[in-house]
Amino acid sequence: MNDLSAIVTAIAGEMREVGSRGTVADYIPPLAAVPLDKFGMAVVMADGEVHVAGDADEAFSIQSISKVFALTLALGAVGDQLWERVGREPSGSAFNSIVQLETEHGIPRNPFINAGAIVVTDVLLGRLQPREAIGQMLRFVRELAGDESIAIDETVAAAERETGFRNRALANYMRAFGTVRGDVELVLGTYFHFCALAMSCRQLALAGRYLMDGGRSDGHRIISEKRARRINALMMSCGHYDNSGDFAYRIGLPGKSGVGGGILAVAPGIASVAVWSPGLNESGNSRLGQMALERLVQRTGWSVFEPRAI
Ligand code: GLU
């Protein structure tokens, strides 16, 4: 057992002992049913070595982590034109907030809050039917992870459709400004299916390799180096809603969280890391997931702000 697998195993052990685990997202009923004691972690190194611990092979709802993959696909489809309809600044407000949209003319602050991801989905639907866009997303994450078994949890997608009143409000509001251009229900249905992707920590960390390795995954070019760098920058500044500054302060890695309790974090050139624990903090980010990543960077020195020899 090398050092890193000892570190990952130790962190998973420590997480089992933590008493205050946050609260599960209860506004999407199937997510409320996930046991709070779950914890998984997977670290995929640049050389392909994989270290896992805890429930690393159990699939969970990746929720907003899908916003990273949707952004990647939309940039591939329309390039920088995307930025005419969505910004690149941290929002400082909740993931599902509507307040900024009125003063900012229906243009969401960034692609990683719900409003932004709904616009990104609308952009994808400018060229594809919903079924094609969902198929493209599924093929993309399967290819990235090298795992054909990845699927969408239809129960979660249906529950989101039933309870997605806020997302419906956001989408309709942006439709009035023309930032969303397609049929609101079709855009939301597609967005909910992206959020309902079910993946394990191992699959997610494998899927994140292209962001760790300058746009390449397992030796294959997925996106340009420049685009990978830019997506990482957005994950660092906007990946954790109104908790993004604190995540950068404590962990110092580009990361994206989801209300299913997962976090994908990237140490460029070093490792792609996924953690999962369903209990969330007040901002909707996994409480233990953040704690585990903080311990990982403390023990490995992987923060991008760590001085490195050149
Ligand atoms: N599907 C969730 C929603 O739209 C995603 C939120 C999240 O993971 O932050 O409310």
Side-chain angles (χ1 to χ4, degrees), residues 27-28 31 61-67 95-96 112-114 118 156 160 164 166-167 170 191-192 194-196 241 256-262 280 283-285:
Y27 73 103
I28 303 173
L31 298 188
S61 191
I62 73 164
Q63 291 294 312
S64 278
I65 303 170
S66 65
K67 293 175 166 84
F95 66 94
N96 53 10
F112 294 152
I113 50 174
N114 286 11
I118 290 168
V156 173
E160 292 207 51
R166 271 179 174 266
N167 288 320
L170 291 170
Y191 166 76
F192 293 144
F194 291 170
C195 292
Y241 319 118
K256 182 74 202 86
S257 65
V259 294
L280 309 177
S283 304
N285 301 303

PDB file of all heavy atoms in Angstrom, residues 27-28 31 61-67 95-96 112-114 118 156 160 164 166-167 170 191-192 194-196 241 256-262 280 283-285, ligand 1:
ATOM      1  N   TYR A  27     -35.717  18.638  -0.925  1.00  0.00           N
ATOM      2  CA  TYR A  27     -36.679  19.178  -1.889  1.00  0.00           C
ATOM      3  C   TYR A  27     -36.815  18.298  -3.132  1.00  0.00           C
ATOM      4  O   TYR A  27     -37.684  18.518  -3.958  1.00  0.00           O
ATOM      5  CB  TYR A  27     -36.311  20.628  -2.248  1.00  0.00           C
ATOM      6  CG  TYR A  27     -35.098  20.781  -3.136  1.00  0.00           C
ATOM      7  CD1 TYR A  27     -35.245  21.070  -4.488  1.00  0.00           C
ATOM      8  CD2 TYR A  27     -33.811  20.621  -2.638  1.00  0.00           C
ATOM      9  CE1 TYR A  27     -34.144  21.204  -5.318  1.00  0.00           C
ATOM     10  CE2 TYR A  27     -32.713  20.758  -3.451  1.00  0.00           C
ATOM     11  CZ  TYR A  27     -32.878  21.046  -4.789  1.00  0.00           C
ATOM     12  OH  TYR A  27     -31.780  21.167  -5.599  1.00  0.00           O
ATOM     13  N   ILE A  28     -35.926  17.291  -3.245  1.00  0.00           N
ATOM     14  CA  ILE A  28     -36.083  16.275  -4.298  1.00  0.00           C
ATOM     15  C   ILE A  28     -36.280  14.942  -3.550  1.00  0.00           C
ATOM     16  O   ILE A  28     -35.309  14.383  -3.012  1.00  0.00           O
ATOM     17  CB  ILE A  28     -34.838  16.225  -5.216  1.00  0.00           C
ATOM     18  CG1 ILE A  28     -34.587  17.610  -5.844  1.00  0.00           C
ATOM     19  CG2 ILE A  28     -35.008  15.161  -6.301  1.00  0.00           C
ATOM     20  CD1 ILE A  28     -33.292  17.735  -6.632  1.00  0.00           C
ATOM     21  N   LEU A  31     -33.772  12.005  -3.169  1.00  0.00           N
ATOM     22  CA  LEU A  31     -32.494  12.342  -2.534  1.00  0.00           C
ATOM     23  C   LEU A  31     -32.638  12.337  -1.010  1.00  0.00           C
ATOM     24  O   LEU A  31     -31.697  12.036  -0.277  1.00  0.00           O
ATOM     25  CB  LEU A  31     -31.988  13.720  -2.984  1.00  0.00           C
ATOM     26  CG  LEU A  31     -31.691  13.899  -4.474  1.00  0.00           C
ATOM     27  CD1 LEU A  31     -31.026  15.246  -4.730  1.00  0.00           C
ATOM     28  CD2 LEU A  31     -30.811  12.781  -5.009  1.00  0.00           C
ATOM     29  N   SER A  61     -26.678  10.437  -7.154  1.00  0.00           N
ATOM     30  CA  SER A  61     -27.184  11.423  -8.110  1.00  0.00           C
ATOM     31  C   SER A  61     -26.167  12.562  -8.209  1.00  0.00           C
ATOM     32  O   SER A  61     -25.930  13.268  -7.226  1.00  0.00           O
ATOM     33  CB  SER A  61     -28.534  11.935  -7.596  1.00  0.00           C
ATOM     34  OG  SER A  61     -29.170  12.677  -8.588  1.00  0.00           O
ATOM     35  N   ILE A  62     -25.588  12.760  -9.399  1.00  0.00           N
ATOM     36  CA  ILE A  62     -24.489  13.750  -9.457  1.00  0.00           C
ATOM     37  C   ILE A  62     -25.012  15.187  -9.478  1.00  0.00           C
ATOM     38  O   ILE A  62     -24.274  16.129  -9.235  1.00  0.00           O
ATOM     39  CB  ILE A  62     -23.504  13.510 -10.628  1.00  0.00           C
ATOM     40  CG1 ILE A  62     -24.106  13.880 -11.982  1.00  0.00           C
ATOM     41  CG2 ILE A  62     -22.953  12.090 -10.590  1.00  0.00           C
ATOM     42  CD1 ILE A  62     -23.052  14.028 -13.089  1.00  0.00           C
ATOM     43  N   GLN A  63     -26.292  15.360  -9.777  1.00  0.00           N
ATOM     44  CA  GLN A  63     -26.933  16.679  -9.721  1.00  0.00           C
ATOM     45  C   GLN A  63     -26.100  17.756 -10.423  1.00  0.00           C
ATOM     46  O   GLN A  63     -25.773  17.620 -11.566  1.00  0.00           O
ATOM     47  CB  GLN A  63     -27.256  17.020  -8.256  1.00  0.00           C
ATOM     48  CG  GLN A  63     -28.371  16.135  -7.701  1.00  0.00           C
ATOM     49  CD  GLN A  63     -29.688  16.401  -8.401  1.00  0.00           C
ATOM     50  OE1 GLN A  63     -30.098  17.522  -8.567  1.00  0.00           O
ATOM     51  NE2 GLN A  63     -30.367  15.350  -8.834  1.00  0.00           N
ATOM     52  N   SER A  64     -25.716  18.794  -9.683  1.00  0.00           N
ATOM     53  CA  SER A  64     -25.091  19.945 -10.355  1.00  0.00           C
ATOM     54  C   SER A  64     -23.683  19.684 -10.881  1.00  0.00           C
ATOM     55  O   SER A  64     -23.139  20.522 -11.590  1.00  0.00           O
ATOM     56  CB  SER A  64     -25.044  21.136  -9.409  1.00  0.00           C
ATOM     57  OG  SER A  64     -26.297  21.763  -9.434  1.00  0.00           O
ATOM     58  N   ILE A  65     -23.097  18.554 -10.530  1.00  0.00           N
ATOM     59  CA  ILE A  65     -21.777  18.263 -11.111  1.00  0.00           C
ATOM     60  C   ILE A  65     -21.939  18.105 -12.634  1.00  0.00           C
ATOM     61  O   ILE A  65     -21.032  18.399 -13.406  1.00  0.00           O
ATOM     62  CB  ILE A  65     -21.149  17.007 -10.462  1.00  0.00           C
ATOM     63  CG1 ILE A  65     -21.039  17.213  -8.947  1.00  0.00           C
ATOM     64  CG2 ILE A  65     -19.780  16.695 -11.065  1.00  0.00           C
ATOM     65  CD1 ILE A  65     -20.656  15.969  -8.171  1.00  0.00           C
ATOM     66  N   SER A  66     -23.160  17.708 -13.042  1.00  0.00           N
ATOM     67  CA  SER A  66     -23.427  17.573 -14.481  1.00  0.00           C
ATOM     68  C   SER A  66     -23.283  18.918 -15.207  1.00  0.00           C
ATOM     69  O   SER A  66     -23.106  18.949 -16.426  1.00  0.00           O
ATOM     70  CB  SER A  66     -24.828  17.008 -14.715  1.00  0.00           C
ATOM     71  OG  SER A  66     -25.812  17.931 -14.265  1.00  0.00           O
ATOM     72  N   LYS A  67     -23.340  20.017 -14.459  1.00  0.00           N
ATOM     73  CA  LYS A  67     -23.215  21.340 -15.087  1.00  0.00           C
ATOM     74  C   LYS A  67     -21.834  21.512 -15.743  1.00  0.00           C
ATOM     75  O   LYS A  67     -21.690  22.258 -16.710  1.00  0.00           O
ATOM     76  CB  LYS A  67     -23.472  22.447 -14.056  1.00  0.00           C
ATOM     77  CG  LYS A  67     -24.949  22.483 -13.562  1.00  0.00           C
ATOM     78  CD  LYS A  67     -25.154  23.506 -12.464  1.00  0.00           C
ATOM     79  CE  LYS A  67     -26.604  23.856 -12.155  1.00  0.00           C
ATOM     80  NZ  LYS A  67     -27.351  23.009 -11.264  1.00  0.00           N
ATOM     81  N   PHE A  95     -27.795  28.496  -4.976  1.00  0.00           N
ATOM     82  CA  PHE A  95     -27.756  27.815  -6.279  1.00  0.00           C
ATOM     83  C   PHE A  95     -29.009  28.044  -7.103  1.00  0.00           C
ATOM     84  O   PHE A  95     -28.977  28.040  -8.329  1.00  0.00           O
ATOM     85  CB  PHE A  95     -27.503  26.311  -6.087  1.00  0.00           C
ATOM     86  CG  PHE A  95     -28.599  25.547  -5.395  1.00  0.00           C
ATOM     87  CD1 PHE A  95     -29.579  24.892  -6.124  1.00  0.00           C
ATOM     88  CD2 PHE A  95     -28.642  25.461  -4.009  1.00  0.00           C
ATOM     89  CE1 PHE A  95     -30.584  24.168  -5.494  1.00  0.00           C
ATOM     90  CE2 PHE A  95     -29.640  24.748  -3.371  1.00  0.00           C
ATOM     91  CZ  PHE A  95     -30.614  24.104  -4.110  1.00  0.00           C
ATOM     92  N   ASN A  96     -30.146  28.269  -6.406  1.00  0.00           N
ATOM     93  CA  ASN A  96     -31.409  28.391  -7.138  1.00  0.00           C
ATOM     94  C   ASN A  96     -31.985  29.802  -7.039  1.00  0.00           C
ATOM     95  O   ASN A  96     -33.168  30.017  -7.189  1.00  0.00           O
ATOM     96  CB  ASN A  96     -32.410  27.370  -6.600  1.00  0.00           C
ATOM     97  CG  ASN A  96     -32.568  27.461  -5.094  1.00  0.00           C
ATOM     98  OD1 ASN A  96     -32.077  28.406  -4.479  1.00  0.00           O
ATOM     99  ND2 ASN A  96     -33.236  26.497  -4.513  1.00  0.00           N
ATOM    100  N   PHE A 112     -22.670  27.593 -13.531  1.00  0.00           N
ATOM    101  CA  PHE A 112     -22.729  26.584 -12.472  1.00  0.00           C
ATOM    102  C   PHE A 112     -23.818  26.830 -11.435  1.00  0.00           C
ATOM    103  O   PHE A 112     -23.941  26.088 -10.465  1.00  0.00           O
ATOM    104  CB  PHE A 112     -21.359  26.445 -11.798  1.00  0.00           C
ATOM    105  CG  PHE A 112     -20.297  25.896 -12.731  1.00  0.00           C
ATOM    106  CD1 PHE A 112     -18.961  26.218 -12.540  1.00  0.00           C
ATOM    107  CD2 PHE A 112     -20.626  25.041 -13.764  1.00  0.00           C
ATOM    108  CE1 PHE A 112     -17.984  25.716 -13.389  1.00  0.00           C
ATOM    109  CE2 PHE A 112     -19.654  24.537 -14.620  1.00  0.00           C
ATOM    110  CZ  PHE A 112     -18.322  24.868 -14.428  1.00  0.00           C
ATOM    111  N   ILE A 113     -24.578  27.919 -11.592  1.00  0.00           N
ATOM    112  CA  ILE A 113     -25.798  28.043 -10.793  1.00  0.00           C
ATOM    113  C   ILE A 113     -26.944  27.512 -11.659  1.00  0.00           C
ATOM    114  O   ILE A 113     -26.786  27.369 -12.875  1.00  0.00           O
ATOM    115  CB  ILE A 113     -26.065  29.505 -10.349  1.00  0.00           C
ATOM    116  CG1 ILE A 113     -25.980  30.464 -11.555  1.00  0.00           C
ATOM    117  CG2 ILE A 113     -25.091  29.922  -9.255  1.00  0.00           C
ATOM    118  CD1 ILE A 113     -26.364  31.898 -11.232  1.00  0.00           C
ATOM    119  N   ASN A 114     -28.086  27.235 -11.046  1.00  0.00           N
ATOM    120  CA  ASN A 114     -29.174  26.618 -11.822  1.00  0.00           C
ATOM    121  C   ASN A 114     -29.547  27.447 -13.043  1.00  0.00           C
ATOM    122  O   ASN A 114     -29.705  26.912 -14.141  1.00  0.00           O
ATOM    123  CB  ASN A 114     -30.407  26.403 -10.945  1.00  0.00           C
ATOM    124  CG  ASN A 114     -30.215  25.249  -9.980  1.00  0.00           C
ATOM    125  OD1 ASN A 114     -29.109  24.746  -9.829  1.00  0.00           O
ATOM    126  ND2 ASN A 114     -31.276  24.842  -9.329  1.00  0.00           N
ATOM    127  N   ILE A 118     -29.417  26.153 -16.896  1.00  0.00           N
ATOM    128  CA  ILE A 118     -30.638  26.071 -17.704  1.00  0.00           C
ATOM    129  C   ILE A 118     -30.379  26.750 -19.056  1.00  0.00           C
ATOM    130  O   ILE A 118     -30.771  26.240 -20.111  1.00  0.00           O
ATOM    131  CB  ILE A 118     -31.836  26.679 -16.929  1.00  0.00           C
ATOM    132  CG1 ILE A 118     -32.202  25.757 -15.752  1.00  0.00           C
ATOM    133  CG2 ILE A 118     -33.037  26.894 -17.844  1.00  0.00           C
ATOM    134  CD1 ILE A 118     -33.167  26.354 -14.738  1.00  0.00           C
ATOM    135  N   VAL A 156     -35.382   9.972 -10.247  1.00  0.00           N
ATOM    136  CA  VAL A 156     -34.904  11.296  -9.808  1.00  0.00           C
ATOM    137  C   VAL A 156     -35.340  12.361 -10.811  1.00  0.00           C
ATOM    138  O   VAL A 156     -35.849  13.416 -10.436  1.00  0.00           O
ATOM    139  CB  VAL A 156     -33.367  11.299  -9.620  1.00  0.00           C
ATOM    140  CG1 VAL A 156     -32.846  12.699  -9.345  1.00  0.00           C
ATOM    141  CG2 VAL A 156     -32.965  10.350  -8.490  1.00  0.00           C
ATOM    142  N   GLU A 160     -37.738  15.545  -9.955  1.00  0.00           N
ATOM    143  CA  GLU A 160     -37.313  16.937 -10.175  1.00  0.00           C
ATOM    144  C   GLU A 160     -38.335  17.677 -11.017  1.00  0.00           C
ATOM    145  O   GLU A 160     -38.610  18.852 -10.793  1.00  0.00           O
ATOM    146  CB  GLU A 160     -35.953  16.969 -10.863  1.00  0.00           C
ATOM    147  CG  GLU A 160     -34.854  16.449  -9.964  1.00  0.00           C
ATOM    148  CD  GLU A 160     -33.510  17.031 -10.315  1.00  0.00           C
ATOM    149  OE1 GLU A 160     -33.399  18.255 -10.433  1.00  0.00           O
ATOM    150  OE2 GLU A 160     -32.572  16.237 -10.472  1.00  0.00           O
ATOM    151  N   GLY A 164     -39.934  20.870  -9.338  1.00  0.00           N
ATOM    152  CA  GLY A 164     -38.993  21.912  -9.787  1.00  0.00           C
ATOM    153  C   GLY A 164     -39.609  23.292  -9.968  1.00  0.00           C
ATOM    154  O   GLY A 164     -39.398  23.943 -11.000  1.00  0.00           O
ATOM    155  N   ARG A 166     -39.066  26.187  -8.519  1.00  0.00           N
ATOM    156  CA  ARG A 166     -38.094  27.293  -8.604  1.00  0.00           C
ATOM    157  C   ARG A 166     -37.385  27.293  -9.955  1.00  0.00           C
ATOM    158  O   ARG A 166     -37.186  28.342 -10.560  1.00  0.00           O
ATOM    159  CB  ARG A 166     -37.036  27.150  -7.517  1.00  0.00           C
ATOM    160  CG  ARG A 166     -37.407  27.811  -6.233  1.00  0.00           C
ATOM    161  CD  ARG A 166     -36.276  27.566  -5.252  1.00  0.00           C
ATOM    162  NE  ARG A 166     -36.500  28.301  -4.039  1.00  0.00           N
ATOM    163  CZ  ARG A 166     -35.999  29.510  -3.794  1.00  0.00           C
ATOM    164  NH1 ARG A 166     -35.236  30.103  -4.666  1.00  0.00           N
ATOM    165  NH2 ARG A 166     -36.246  30.113  -2.652  1.00  0.00           N
ATOM    166  N   ASN A 167     -36.983  26.101 -10.404  1.00  0.00           N
ATOM    167  CA  ASN A 167     -36.303  26.033 -11.702  1.00  0.00           C
ATOM    168  C   ASN A 167     -37.238  26.476 -12.828  1.00  0.00           C
ATOM    169  O   ASN A 167     -36.815  27.120 -13.786  1.00  0.00           O
ATOM    170  CB  ASN A 167     -35.793  24.611 -11.954  1.00  0.00           C
ATOM    171  CG  ASN A 167     -34.600  24.294 -11.072  1.00  0.00           C
ATOM    172  OD1 ASN A 167     -33.738  25.147 -10.870  1.00  0.00           O
ATOM    173  ND2 ASN A 167     -34.553  23.086 -10.527  1.00  0.00           N
ATOM    174  N   LEU A 170     -37.267  30.221 -12.711  1.00  0.00           N
ATOM    175  CA  LEU A 170     -36.031  30.750 -13.318  1.00  0.00           C
ATOM    176  C   LEU A 170     -36.109  30.689 -14.842  1.00  0.00           C
ATOM    177  O   LEU A 170     -35.808  31.663 -15.536  1.00  0.00           O
ATOM    178  CB  LEU A 170     -34.816  29.923 -12.861  1.00  0.00           C
ATOM    179  CG  LEU A 170     -34.379  30.015 -11.399  1.00  0.00           C
ATOM    180  CD1 LEU A 170     -33.320  28.950 -11.096  1.00  0.00           C
ATOM    181  CD2 LEU A 170     -33.820  31.396 -11.103  1.00  0.00           C
ATOM    182  N   TYR A 191     -32.622  19.426 -18.688  1.00  0.00           N
ATOM    183  CA  TYR A 191     -31.792  19.813 -17.535  1.00  0.00           C
ATOM    184  C   TYR A 191     -31.959  18.804 -16.377  1.00  0.00           C
ATOM    185  O   TYR A 191     -30.977  18.361 -15.781  1.00  0.00           O
ATOM    186  CB  TYR A 191     -32.178  21.233 -17.096  1.00  0.00           C
ATOM    187  CG  TYR A 191     -31.655  21.640 -15.739  1.00  0.00           C
ATOM    188  CD1 TYR A 191     -30.321  21.991 -15.552  1.00  0.00           C
ATOM    189  CD2 TYR A 191     -32.504  21.654 -14.637  1.00  0.00           C
ATOM    190  CE1 TYR A 191     -29.840  22.345 -14.302  1.00  0.00           C
ATOM    191  CE2 TYR A 191     -32.031  22.019 -13.380  1.00  0.00           C
ATOM    192  CZ  TYR A 191     -30.706  22.359 -13.213  1.00  0.00           C
ATOM    193  OH  TYR A 191     -30.231  22.700 -11.973  1.00  0.00           O
ATOM    194  N   PHE A 192     -33.198  18.416 -16.086  1.00  0.00           N
ATOM    195  CA  PHE A 192     -33.440  17.464 -14.987  1.00  0.00           C
ATOM    196  C   PHE A 192     -32.794  16.107 -15.288  1.00  0.00           C
ATOM    197  O   PHE A 192     -32.286  15.442 -14.383  1.00  0.00           O
ATOM    198  CB  PHE A 192     -34.943  17.288 -14.746  1.00  0.00           C
ATOM    199  CG  PHE A 192     -35.633  18.526 -14.224  1.00  0.00           C
ATOM    200  CD1 PHE A 192     -36.928  18.846 -14.624  1.00  0.00           C
ATOM    201  CD2 PHE A 192     -34.997  19.373 -13.315  1.00  0.00           C
ATOM    202  CE1 PHE A 192     -37.573  19.984 -14.138  1.00  0.00           C
ATOM    203  CE2 PHE A 192     -35.638  20.513 -12.832  1.00  0.00           C
ATOM    204  CZ  PHE A 192     -36.925  20.824 -13.241  1.00  0.00           C
ATOM    205  N   PHE A 194     -30.073  15.647 -17.047  1.00  0.00           N
ATOM    206  CA  PHE A 194     -28.625  15.804 -16.813  1.00  0.00           C
ATOM    207  C   PHE A 194     -28.336  15.662 -15.302  1.00  0.00           C
ATOM    208  O   PHE A 194     -27.427  14.953 -14.899  1.00  0.00           O
ATOM    209  CB  PHE A 194     -28.135  17.185 -17.266  1.00  0.00           C
ATOM    210  CG  PHE A 194     -28.134  17.423 -18.765  1.00  0.00           C
ATOM    211  CD1 PHE A 194     -27.898  18.707 -19.258  1.00  0.00           C
ATOM    212  CD2 PHE A 194     -28.353  16.395 -19.671  1.00  0.00           C
ATOM    213  CE1 PHE A 194     -27.872  18.948 -20.627  1.00  0.00           C
ATOM    214  CE2 PHE A 194     -28.334  16.631 -21.049  1.00  0.00           C
ATOM    215  CZ  PHE A 194     -28.102  17.918 -21.522  1.00  0.00           C
ATOM    216  N   CYS A 195     -29.139  16.381 -14.488  1.00  0.00           N
ATOM    217  CA  CYS A 195     -28.927  16.353 -13.033  1.00  0.00           C
ATOM    218  C   CYS A 195     -29.110  14.939 -12.467  1.00  0.00           C
ATOM    219  O   CYS A 195     -28.510  14.578 -11.459  1.00  0.00           O
ATOM    220  CB  CYS A 195     -29.907  17.286 -12.328  1.00  0.00           C
ATOM    221  SG  CYS A 195     -29.603  19.040 -12.654  1.00  0.00           S
ATOM    222  N   ALA A 196     -29.964  14.141 -13.127  1.00  0.00           N
ATOM    223  CA  ALA A 196     -30.305  12.818 -12.598  1.00  0.00           C
ATOM    224  C   ALA A 196     -29.306  11.735 -13.015  1.00  0.00           C
ATOM    225  O   ALA A 196     -29.538  10.544 -12.762  1.00  0.00           O
ATOM    226  CB  ALA A 196     -31.716  12.435 -13.043  1.00  0.00           C
ATOM    227  N   TYR A 241     -21.450  27.576  -5.455  1.00  0.00           N
ATOM    228  CA  TYR A 241     -22.482  28.582  -5.172  1.00  0.00           C
ATOM    229  C   TYR A 241     -21.915  29.688  -4.272  1.00  0.00           C
ATOM    230  O   TYR A 241     -20.778  30.106  -4.474  1.00  0.00           O
ATOM    231  CB  TYR A 241     -23.726  27.929  -4.542  1.00  0.00           C
ATOM    232  CG  TYR A 241     -24.093  26.625  -5.173  1.00  0.00           C
ATOM    233  CD1 TYR A 241     -24.091  25.439  -4.461  1.00  0.00           C
ATOM    234  CD2 TYR A 241     -24.427  26.569  -6.518  1.00  0.00           C
ATOM    235  CE1 TYR A 241     -24.424  24.231  -5.063  1.00  0.00           C
ATOM    236  CE2 TYR A 241     -24.757  25.380  -7.122  1.00  0.00           C
ATOM    237  CZ  TYR A 241     -24.748  24.215  -6.381  1.00  0.00           C
ATOM    238  OH  TYR A 241     -25.060  23.034  -6.976  1.00  0.00           O
ATOM    239  N   LYS A 256     -16.557  21.076  -8.274  1.00  0.00           N
ATOM    240  CA  LYS A 256     -17.989  21.318  -8.493  1.00  0.00           C
ATOM    241  C   LYS A 256     -18.773  20.368  -7.616  1.00  0.00           C
ATOM    242  O   LYS A 256     -18.515  19.163  -7.613  1.00  0.00           O
ATOM    243  CB  LYS A 256     -18.358  21.101  -9.975  1.00  0.00           C
ATOM    244  CG  LYS A 256     -19.823  21.384 -10.257  1.00  0.00           C
ATOM    245  CD  LYS A 256     -20.145  22.875 -10.245  1.00  0.00           C
ATOM    246  CE  LYS A 256     -21.628  23.176  -9.986  1.00  0.00           C
ATOM    247  NZ  LYS A 256     -21.985  23.235  -8.554  1.00  0.00           N
ATOM    248  N   SER A 257     -19.734  20.941  -6.921  1.00  0.00           N
ATOM    249  CA  SER A 257     -20.549  20.133  -6.014  1.00  0.00           C
ATOM    250  C   SER A 257     -21.933  19.912  -6.607  1.00  0.00           C
ATOM    251  O   SER A 257     -22.327  20.579  -7.564  1.00  0.00           O
ATOM    252  CB  SER A 257     -20.695  20.874  -4.690  1.00  0.00           C
ATOM    253  OG  SER A 257     -21.434  22.061  -4.923  1.00  0.00           O
ATOM    254  N   GLY A 258     -22.674  18.998  -6.008  1.00  0.00           N
ATOM    255  CA  GLY A 258     -24.071  18.776  -6.370  1.00  0.00           C
ATOM    256  C   GLY A 258     -24.868  18.477  -5.122  1.00  0.00           C
ATOM    257  O   GLY A 258     -24.294  18.000  -4.125  1.00  0.00           O
ATOM    258  N   VAL A 259     -26.182  18.739  -5.149  1.00  0.00           N
ATOM    259  CA  VAL A 259     -26.981  18.515  -3.937  1.00  0.00           C
ATOM    260  C   VAL A 259     -27.202  17.027  -3.626  1.00  0.00           C
ATOM    261  O   VAL A 259     -27.762  16.693  -2.583  1.00  0.00           O
ATOM    262  CB  VAL A 259     -28.345  19.261  -3.963  1.00  0.00           C
ATOM    263  CG1 VAL A 259     -28.161  20.761  -3.934  1.00  0.00           C
ATOM    264  CG2 VAL A 259     -29.217  18.825  -5.125  1.00  0.00           C
ATOM    265  N   GLY A 260     -26.714  16.142  -4.495  1.00  0.00           N
ATOM    266  CA  GLY A 260     -26.702  14.718  -4.154  1.00  0.00           C
ATOM    267  C   GLY A 260     -25.577  14.398  -3.171  1.00  0.00           C
ATOM    268  O   GLY A 260     -25.466  13.271  -2.687  1.00  0.00           O
ATOM    269  N   GLY A 261     -24.712  15.386  -2.899  1.00  0.00           N
ATOM    270  CA  GLY A 261     -23.629  15.188  -1.929  1.00  0.00           C
ATOM    271  C   GLY A 261     -22.292  14.850  -2.564  1.00  0.00           C
ATOM    272  O   GLY A 261     -21.324  14.550  -1.869  1.00  0.00           O
ATOM    273  N   GLY A 262     -22.223  14.910  -3.881  1.00  0.00           N
ATOM    274  CA  GLY A 262     -20.950  14.629  -4.547  1.00  0.00           C
ATOM    275  C   GLY A 262     -20.157  15.898  -4.783  1.00  0.00           C
ATOM    276  O   GLY A 262     -20.728  16.992  -4.858  1.00  0.00           O
ATOM    277  N   LEU A 280     -25.555  17.765   3.533  1.00  0.00           N
ATOM    278  CA  LEU A 280     -25.111  19.051   2.965  1.00  0.00           C
ATOM    279  C   LEU A 280     -24.969  20.125   4.039  1.00  0.00           C
ATOM    280  O   LEU A 280     -25.622  20.074   5.076  1.00  0.00           O
ATOM    281  CB  LEU A 280     -26.143  19.533   1.929  1.00  0.00           C
ATOM    282  CG  LEU A 280     -26.550  18.530   0.846  1.00  0.00           C
ATOM    283  CD1 LEU A 280     -27.632  19.136  -0.053  1.00  0.00           C
ATOM    284  CD2 LEU A 280     -25.345  18.079   0.021  1.00  0.00           C
ATOM    285  N   SER A 283     -25.139  25.821   2.314  1.00  0.00           N
ATOM    286  CA  SER A 283     -25.085  26.260   0.919  1.00  0.00           C
ATOM    287  C   SER A 283     -25.386  25.139  -0.069  1.00  0.00           C
ATOM    288  O   SER A 283     -25.320  25.344  -1.283  1.00  0.00           O
ATOM    289  CB  SER A 283     -23.696  26.821   0.604  1.00  0.00           C
ATOM    290  OG  SER A 283     -23.379  27.841   1.485  1.00  0.00           O
ATOM    291  N   GLY A 284     -25.673  23.940   0.443  1.00  0.00           N
ATOM    292  CA  GLY A 284     -26.011  22.837  -0.452  1.00  0.00           C
ATOM    293  C   GLY A 284     -24.795  22.064  -0.941  1.00  0.00           C
ATOM    294  O   GLY A 284     -24.857  21.386  -1.966  1.00  0.00           O
ATOM    295  N   ASN A 285     -23.686  22.178  -0.213  1.00  0.00           N
ATOM    296  CA  ASN A 285     -22.478  21.430  -0.575  1.00  0.00           C
ATOM    297  C   ASN A 285     -22.224  20.340   0.466  1.00  0.00           C
ATOM    298  O   ASN A 285     -22.476  20.558   1.651  1.00  0.00           O
ATOM    299  CB  ASN A 285     -21.273  22.378  -0.613  1.00  0.00           C
ATOM    300  CG  ASN A 285     -21.470  23.502  -1.603  1.00  0.00           C
ATOM    301  OD1 ASN A 285     -21.703  23.265  -2.781  1.00  0.00           O
ATOM    302  ND2 ASN A 285     -21.413  24.743  -1.125  1.00  0.00           N
TER     303      ASN A 285
HETATM  304  N1  GLU B   1     -31.234  19.395  -9.844  1.00  0.00           N
HETATM  305  C1  GLU B   1     -30.931  20.332  -8.809  1.00  0.00           C
HETATM  306  C2  GLU B   1     -31.801  21.552  -8.953  1.00  0.00           C
HETATM  307  O1  GLU B   1     -31.976  21.990 -10.033  1.00  0.00           O
HETATM  308  C3  GLU B   1     -29.472  20.683  -8.882  1.00  0.00           C
HETATM  309  C4  GLU B   1     -29.024  21.549  -7.773  1.00  0.00           C
HETATM  310  C5  GLU B   1     -27.629  21.234  -7.274  1.00  0.00           C
HETATM  311  O2  GLU B   1     -27.108  20.147  -7.365  1.00  0.00           O
HETATM  312  O3  GLU B   1     -27.058  22.179  -6.739  1.00  0.00           O
HETATM  313  O4  GLU B   1     -32.326  22.073  -8.028  1.00  0.00           O
END
